[in-house]
Amino acid sequence: MKTNLQRIKKDIEQLAKFNSSPNKGLTRFSFTKEDREARNYIKNEMREAGLKVYEDAAGTIFGRLQGEIENGPVVMLGSHFDSVKNGGNFDGPAGVVMALEVARAFKENNVKPKYPIEFIAMIEEEGGRFGGGLFGSRSMAGKVSRESLDKYKDKDGVSIAEAMKEFGFDPDKIYEAERKSEAIRAFIELHIEQGPVLEKKNIDIGIVDYIVGIEEIEVTIKGRPDHAGTTPMNMRANALDAAAPAIAKVSEFAIEAGEGTVATIGTLNLKPGAANIVPSDVIFTVDIRSKKEECKKQVRNKIINLLKESTARTNCNLEIVQKLDVAPVKLDEQIVADFSKGCDELGFKKKVMLSGAGHDAMIIASIAKVGLIFVPSKEGRSHCPEEWTDYEDLQKGIELAYYEVLKLCK
Ligand code: HGY
Ligand code: MN
Ligand code: MN
């Protein structure tokens, strides 16, 4: 093994401490105190590993190892360091720890790369605070507009732009985060599988060949608040009456679409929110995913058509904001083949597979060759405090990343 199990364990445990919901899983939102604490830890570890550390205009952290070809196309590796609300310790950090550990192993083995290497900790992949997500990678791919930074807001109404300014980043410079395709040789991400396949089949490594397409919409229905006792049923503009038919059908529409299509209402808020007031506002999100673009679109169109009909019938107003829309992505065939060869050489059992979760890799794939390594998740659980990956399993994934990056940087 080129890597060190104790260091891997220590990184995961240290990063897990930077948490705004101790004893209730891990919550680390972007541009917060916990972000700052994790950021400082990651930057220190990068410096210890001999890297030149910088942050881009979006807030993503880079540790650069110079190559013989000073300004040659860079080999990138890493994942994200933010989390969902009350999530686990491995979703994102597993890939950041991979980058830190590969950097240390390169230093210990005195590897002198031909091409420069950048070890990355990506910001705001989950969208836990502002919705949408994949913010760091979308900024690198030039897909984040300045105006969107005012539009995306957290639950307290703070926009990304305001949060960036308060944290020390200039939202007006977001365009500087963009990386040109010719400047990136490849991007390697490692991530926990977040599903049951690898553990169930007792496989060490998942080699991802496709990532599902994802669309996230935020639906706001506005009716009228009224007295629940004195307002006759035929005189109400009840926002929940407008929302309920679509909410009830979301799962059924996904099943009807087939091809493993999934759809989820993960947030649902009523306003003003009292037992004796007819609800005036219903706000909810729908997350739709499929490996087939047409299936994803079919589900969203059915939901929207139902909402248009029910809001018209109940005299309510409908607003739909698209927070994210990414088509299904095929990852680089050569890197998939390299990973497969690497597993054979390293003696790891492997499986080429689809990712039902979204990852920064799916965005970076629009500007570079991308590979994504999965390591097993205990009982397939993720986005919950029970999320776990055995350190020995994580180390195997890191060994494969080391093997591949060594090849790519020569
Ligand atoms: O939602 C996802 O699939 C990822 O965890 N951001
Ligand atoms: Mn996640
Ligand atoms: Mn993730």
Side-chain angles (χ1 to χ4, degrees):
M1 294 284 201
K2 299 283 185 198
T3 59
N4 179 298
L5 189 66
Q6 288 318 310
R7 285 189 311 224
I8 292 167
K9 180 172 182 291
K10 175 183 161 263
D11 281 339
I12 292 285
E13 290 173 349
Q14 286 300 323
L15 284 169
K17 289 177 183 168
F18 311 129
N19 174 13
S20 65
S21 64
N23 306 316
K24 291 196 204 90
L26 174 67
T27 305
R28 183 164 54 244
F29 284 169
S30 301
F31 308 120
T32 62
K33 176 172 85 61
E34 296 73 30
D35 172 332
R36 176 81 66 200
E37 292 165 341
R39 190 177 290 273
N40 289 340
Y41 177 82
I42 292 164
K43 289 160 80 173
N44 286 337
E45 291 301 316
M46 286 180 168
R47 288 189 195 99
E48 289 283 309
L51 304 179
K52 187 170 165 302
V53 177
Y54 73 94
E55 289 157 313
D56 73 3
T60 289
I61 310 164
F62 297 80
R64 185 176 172 94
L65 176 62
Q66 210 38 286
E68 281 161 39
I69 309 175
E70 279 270 310
N71 296 317
V74 64
V75 176
M76 293 182 163
L77 60 153
S79 190
H80 63 94
F81 70 103
D82 64 309
S83 81
V84 292
K85 193 171 145 200
N86 305 119
N89 295 342
F90 294 82
D91 174 358
V96 172
V97 169
M98 172 273 286
L100 295 177
E101 188 53 25
V102 170
R104 295 169 186 136
F106 267 43
K107 186 179 178 204
E108 283 170 349
N109 291 275
N110 201 21
V111 174
K112 296 284 178 237
K114 180 178 171 192
Y115 295 98
I117 304 175
E118 292 194 349
F119 303 82
I120 302 183
M122 213 74 89
I123 192 167
E124 189 63 4
E125 186 275 343
E126 297 287 4
R129 180 174 177 189
F130 300 103
L134 300 166
F135 175 70
S137 46
R138 283 189 299 118
S139 301
M140 288 170 69
K143 295 178 187 225
V144 172
S145 66
R146 172 62 185 85
E147 49 277 354
S148 71
L149 302 182
D150 296 324
K151 218 172 71 183
Y152 283 66
K153 295 185 182 268
D154 68 11
K155 64 176 174 39
D156 301 321
V158 176
S159 69
I160 297 184
E162 289 159 339
M164 287 176 79
K165 274 183 212 149
E166 208 178 304
F167 198 79
F169 290 104
D170 179 354
D172 294 337
K173 295 195 171 140
I174 189 67
Y175 299 107
E176 293 176 8
E178 186 173 356
R179 309 293 284 259
K180 293 296 173 221
S181 196
E182 56 277 13
I184 307 178
R185 186 163 164 71
F187 172 65
I188 301 296
E189 183 167 9
L190 178 146
H191 204 283
I192 54 173
E193 179 202 342
Q194 301 178 293
V197 172
L198 295 178
E199 183 188 56
K200 212 173 241 156
K201 296 176 181 290
N202 192 24
I203 293 171
D204 300 312
I205 300 287
I207 300 172
V208 178
D209 58 352
Y210 280 90
I211 303 177
V212 294
I214 306 180
E215 179 166 1
E216 180 187 320
I217 56 174
E218 184 178 75
V219 177
T220 301
I221 296 175
K222 285 191 173 308
R224 196 185 62 209
D226 277 311
H227 193 295
T230 55
T231 313
M233 295 308 280
N234 65 355
M235 287 176 63
R236 298 180 177 205
N238 181 334
L240 189 53
D241 281 353
I247 290 172
K249 296 285 271 184
V250 164
S251 298
E252 198 179 306
F253 288 159
I255 296 163
E256 280 168 8
E259 299 284 348
T261 304
V262 292
T264 313
I265 294 176
T267 63
L268 173 61
N269 291 303
L270 270 184
K271 289 181 184 173
N276 57 0
I277 306 176
V278 175
S280 55
D281 296 55
V282 172
I283 304 118
F284 62 95
T285 53
V286 190
D287 173 305
I288 309 164
R289 307 186 186 204
S290 183
K291 62 186 174 202
K292 295 251 185 218
E293 182 64 11
E294 59 273 21
C295 297
K296 184 166 77 93
K297 288 279 175 264
Q298 176 189 316
V299 172
R300 83 154 347 237
N301 292 338
K302 282 185 177 178
I303 293 167
I304 291 175
N305 290 341
L306 202 43
L307 284 168
K308 282 181 180 161
E309 184 273 321
S310 62
T311 46
R313 180 166 38 79
T314 54
N315 295 321
C316 291
N317 181 45
L318 172 63
E319 184 201 340
I320 293 174
V321 175
Q322 186 181 66
K323 306 283 274 192
L324 182 69
D325 187 17
V326 190
V329 169
K330 178 176 171 24
L331 299 188
D332 184 76
E333 283 179 3
Q334 183 54 54
I335 294 179
V336 168
D338 286 349
F339 280 157
S340 190
K341 186 163 169 287
C343 285
D344 294 345
E345 289 182 21
L346 293 164
F348 300 156
K349 291 192 285 296
K350 73 216 183 230
K351 174 180 175 47
V352 176
M353 62 193 289
L354 167 80
S355 172
H359 298 288
D360 288 312
M362 70 200 293
I363 301 296
I364 304 294
S366 63
I367 54 171
K369 290 194 309 180
V370 164
L372 175 56
I373 299 166
F374 272 175
V375 291
S377 289
K378 191 166 179 301
E379 292 158 19
R381 302 291 308 280
S382 180
H383 282 190
C384 59
E386 296 75 14
E387 181 183 279
W388 178 264
T389 291
D390 287 345
Y391 293 115
E392 294 74 10
D393 287 341
L394 175 50
Q395 183 175 27
K396 287 177 184 170
I398 297 174
E399 289 289 324
L400 178 62
Y402 180 99
Y403 167 95
E404 180 59 17
V405 172
L406 195 61
K407 192 169 180 294
L408 287 167
C409 75
K410 291 292 180 203

